[in-house]
Amino acid sequence: MGQTRTVDTLVVGAGFSGLGAAIRLIQEGFDDLVVLERGSDVGGTWRDNTYPGAACDVPSHLYSYSFALNPGWSRAFSPQGEIYDYIRSVAHESGVLDKIRFGVEVTAVEFDAERERWTVETDADTYDARVVVLGVGALCEPKLPEIDGIDEFSGQVFHTARWDHRTVLAGKRVAVIGTGASAIQVVPSIAGQVGHLDVYQRTAPWILPRIDRTYSETERAAYRKIPGLQRAVRALQYASRELQVVGLTRSRAALTPIRLIGRAHLAMQVRDRRLREAVTPTFEIGCKRILLSNTWYPTLSRDNVDLVTSPIERVTADGIVTADGVDHPADVLVVATGFHVTDSPFFERVRDAAGRTLADKWATDGMEAYKGTTVSGYPNLFVLVGPATGLGHSSMIYMIESQLNYLASAMETMRERGLQTVDVREAVQGAYNEALRADTSETVWTSGCASWYLDAKGNAPAVWPDFTFAYRGQTREFDLSAYRRTAAADAVATVTTDDPDTPEVDVVPAAAAAEKSGQVNPQ
Ligand code: NAP
């Protein structure tokens, strides 16, 4: 049995979001903080995705914290190893490593209404925390395909995000299931060493050229020495990515140039008519994430690679049988089938005061939060990379830093006002999400394809349907009037109502209310 430890703020996860939260909160003076990380290192998705060819589709200068630019990136799009090294060095230099407990898996996060604190169970100690910040990531729980017989396969089976580096691929017959962002990087990287490669495609993706190159030593020196140069390049990259938002969310006509580039890229790289037909996308560009590769189509044309488009019927001990009755032998099965995003198993571990899990709430009401960060009924819980914060076109780190502004401002507001809890009003959250749903219903993401942006009801609760600077604006300051709040037991200040027109009445846990009557003003 572990001990119970008391801490003011508990952060779950030490990837880009959790680590960023820890750095920011400590900077703001909230240093009674612990980060719990199930892995043995920081880095999150960039620690876990070690598959051959793993790299980022967002330009290197843009894909970094704004407070820790890296003039040393080796190329325009960074490979996984370099991003992993970057995040490790930021963790080291920011001095937060001693706040992180590695190898600790959070098993339950439950709000205690009487004490107005969170109880966080782990496979080691229990934590008693006032504030919980979830930095568990959106693309972290591998989604394994539910295919008949997959458990009976006699060779190795692994997901791209859990790559088994002990498995030797040289000369083997390898099957890769999926043609998303992960698959299109893996396949060209392993095709040259395997004996034979079958690529199972359910939906042909849109692919644009990858304009990548190495940075010369002179360029890197310039970024180091010329003040503002890297920020200027970053700003240009940011602006050019933001232009895509017009096409993705407002006007399909604005997607025409990239659609034409995609078609031309395909036509130039695939000469074989049948292959060309098979890889021609049948949905609107941008509906799924747009992929970047110069090597995908040429790899599919290799003699030792087959693109299989007949649906998978079942997996047998030695291969895959497709709906056309063909038996495709395989020694190794790589599943590149994505992640649980709108149905992450972590949501089953988070419970409100009545014991209702976030998973249950979101399965019933739809996955929603207020400003992607707070959820009504879950006081003092801040979800990073939460609902409606995902992006396909630009850097998630920008969205994370927006959320960190909001988190820091919330913590500061609570400190200044002597608040114990803040809990977003249900009506405010509802209205916010209704507006978001109206926005997303016009976007390209709901134009008829399947993707991780969508939930089971066909809404797109995972993506931000506007310019990212609009989100930055919304999250700049904590808007206390959107929240019900209770006073801290030792509060000197009295909580005052700054939104007298709001018809809702604060619901204060009975015990706390009795104890604190006189400190909390009903609204
Ligand atoms: P993904 O985009 O969700 O793609 C999953 C692929 O598996 C799709 O092709 C899907 O087909 C297929 N699939 C799923 N279940 C299947 C089944 N039962 N049978 C056959 N095929 C099946 O997953 P991902 O490629 O891992 O990428 C996820 C996200 O991670 C990306 O959108 C991106 O945000 C991020 N990522 C980024 C990079 C980068 O920056 N370069 C690299 C990797 C990942 P359908 O299309 O028909 O559903």
Side-chain angles (χ1 to χ4, degrees), residues 76-89:
F77 292 102
S78 304
Q80 170 266 337
E82 226 174 292
I83 301 174
Y84 182 34
D85 287 347
Y86 164 80
I87 191 166
R88 293 175 82 195
S89 79

Side-chain angles (χ1 to χ4, degrees), residues 175-236:
V176 175
I177 302 179
T179 54
S182 303
I184 70 142
Q185 294 183 332
V186 168
V187 166
S189 304
I190 62 172
Q193 42 167 309
V194 303
H196 182 85
L197 186 56
D198 283 324
V199 178
Y200 291 82
Q201 173 187 279
R202 198 163 63 175
T203 314
W206 280 97
I207 299 189
L208 297 184
R210 187 176 180 85
I211 305 168
D212 195 10
R213 64 183 183 85
T214 51
Y215 287 137
S216 66
E217 189 38 56
T218 317
E219 277 176 284
R220 284 189 266 167
Y223 288 130
R224 269 194 303 273
K225 291 181 185 153
I226 304 174
L229 178 63
Q230 197 177 11
R231 289 216 183 264
V233 170
R234 183 177 152 100
L236 279 177

Side-chain angles (χ1 to χ4, degrees), residues 46 49 51 55-58 139 145-147 159-160 177-183 185 200-203 210 288-289 291 312 336-339 391-392 450-453:
W46 295 103
N49 281 270
Y51 62 77
C56 191
D57 274 354
V58 177
L139 300 165
E146 286 168 16
I147 301 174
H159 188 276
T160 41
I177 302 179
T179 54
S182 303
Q185 294 183 332
Y200 291 82
Q201 173 187 279
R202 198 163 63 175
T203 314
R210 187 176 180 85
K288 288 170 184 280
R289 188 185 169 105
L291 310 181
I312 297 172
T337 45
F339 300 88
L391 300 179
S451 78
W452 63 260
Y453 300 153

Side-chain angles (χ1 to χ4, degrees), residues 153-385:
F153 185 68
S154 59
Q156 283 88 355
V157 186
F158 49 87
H159 188 276
T160 41
R162 300 287 181 269
W163 194 267
D164 181 354
H165 290 276
R166 289 163 310 175
T167 300
V168 178
L169 297 181
K172 299 265 177 67
R173 292 190 69 93
V174 178
V176 175
I177 302 179
T179 54
S182 303
I184 70 142
Q185 294 183 332
V186 168
V187 166
S189 304
I190 62 172
Q193 42 167 309
V194 303
H196 182 85
L197 186 56
D198 283 324
V199 178
Y200 291 82
Q201 173 187 279
R202 198 163 63 175
T203 314
W206 280 97
I207 299 189
L208 297 184
R210 187 176 180 85
I211 305 168
D212 195 10
R213 64 183 183 85
T214 51
Y215 287 137
S216 66
E217 189 38 56
T218 317
E219 277 176 284
R220 284 189 266 167
Y223 288 130
R224 269 194 303 273
K225 291 181 185 153
I226 304 174
L229 178 63
Q230 197 177 11
R231 289 216 183 264
V233 170
R234 183 177 152 100
L236 279 177
Q237 289 174 340
Y238 171 79
S240 73
R241 292 273 165 158
E242 239 16 41
L243 282 178
Q244 286 186 27
V245 175
V246 178
L248 297 172
T249 67
R250 286 164 169 75
S251 155
R252 299 284 161 77
L255 292 170
T256 305
I258 54 172
R259 193 185 308 116
L260 293 176
I261 294 171
R263 289 218 180 106
H265 185 54
L266 194 163
M268 282 193 297
Q269 290 204 320
V270 186
R271 296 278 165 219
D272 180 79
R273 189 184 54 81
R274 284 178 59 186
L275 181 59
R276 199 187 286 182
E277 263 169 34
V279 295
T280 298
T282 53
F283 59 92
E284 177 63 291
I285 191 163
C287 185
K288 288 170 184 280
R289 188 185 169 105
I290 300 169
L291 310 181
L292 306 180
S293 176
N294 302 331
T295 51
W296 173 250
Y297 293 134
T299 301
L300 296 183
S301 306
R302 288 176 62 108
D303 288 342
N304 70 333
V305 177
D306 281 332
L307 180 74
V308 183
T309 55
S310 178
I312 297 172
E313 198 154 276
R314 64 180 189 281
V315 176
T316 63
D318 356 274
I320 292 179
V321 179
T322 43
D324 54 7
V326 178
D327 200 342
H328 307 264
D331 305 311
V332 178
L333 194 52
V334 175
V335 290
T337 45
F339 300 88
H340 290 281
V341 179
T342 53
D343 57 347
S344 167
F346 196 85
F347 304 151
E348 284 159 26
R349 301 182 186 178
V350 182
R351 292 175 186 277
D352 67 8
R356 188 177 190 198
T357 66
L358 260 186
D360 178 42
K361 183 176 171 65
W362 282 345
T364 319
D365 308 345
M367 181 182 167
E368 60 173 54
Y370 179 59
K371 299 192 174 178
T373 312
T374 51
V375 184
S376 186
Y378 298 75
N380 292 9
L381 179 77
F382 295 86
V383 187
L384 302 178
V385 192

